[in-house]
Amino acid sequence: MAGAARDLPLLRVDAFPARHGFTTRAGGVSAAPWEALNLGLSVGDDVAAVHENRRRVLAAFGADPDRTAALHQVHGTDVHRAETVGAPGTTRGDALISDDPAWTLVVSVADCVPLLLHDPRSGAAAAVHAGWRGAAAGVVGRAVEALRRAYGVDPRDLHAAVGPNVSGPAYQVGPEVVEAFAAAGFP
């Protein structure tokens, strides 16, 4: 199994200055209907298979499981320092920050937007789960503000990477989404 982690296909964008990646669905052990690399514990997949899939992803990144932060995402705006969250999935929130490169910041998405922020001057970074509710409520701005307060980051220095997400014709929204963004001041 350890060898399988090296063959796990990861998406990388070389222009982003911090070590990062996005997973695909290939390379996991889950059986149908979650075949391959299902990382979600809330969909009915076998828990042992999901844990093995997660282990493979961390191994492919060379990440220390004891220095990996992942939240119980709630489509909100709470931002947490990686060093202060409990076991993966026990702290509620939608953004993680750290200035310690030994920490792996994890967000999970299906149709939401994974957003990564990095300040090359301080080394501080954020991983943001931006679903439509959190985005309309300002989760991205809250993450930027948390980086500024915690690590002295100047927002003008931030680099951002927007990960794979649903968009355009593949995703239709109802009037409640349009109204939420209009109420938040988006054009």
Side-chain angles (χ1 to χ4, degrees), residues 26-175:
V29 299
S30 294
W34 305 280
E35 59 267 23
L37 192 65
N38 173 46
L39 301 172
L41 286 167
S42 63
V43 296
D45 194 357
D46 177 64
V47 172
V50 174
H51 285 299
E52 174 59 19
N53 291 340
R54 290 178 174 192
R55 187 202 63 76
R56 287 180 180 206
V57 169
L58 291 178
F61 279 107
D64 178 351
D66 294 328
R67 305 269 300 200
T68 297
L71 299 167
H72 174 80
Q73 297 168 182
V74 294
H75 297 276
T77 62
D78 288 342
V79 180
H80 298 277
R81 283 188 183 205
E83 301 84 353
T84 65
V85 301
T90 60
T91 302
R92 297 170 64 88
D94 286 279
L96 291 160
I97 63 170
S98 182
D99 67 346
D100 182 347
W103 277 94
T104 300
L105 311 179
V106 176
V107 293
S108 298
V109 298
D111 57 354
C112 297
V113 178
L115 175 69
L116 307 176
L117 302 171
H118 180 258
D119 175 24
R121 284 187 317 104
S122 68
V128 182
H129 165 254
W132 73 263
R133 287 178 181 87
V139 69
V140 176
R142 296 270 313 259
V144 170
E145 180 59 20
L147 288 168
R148 188 191 66 72
R149 278 192 329 271
Y151 311 114
V153 168
D154 183 336
R156 295 173 295 191
D157 294 332
L158 287 173
H159 292 252
V162 177
N165 61 86
V166 71
S167 62
Y171 189 64
Q172 297 179 8
V173 300

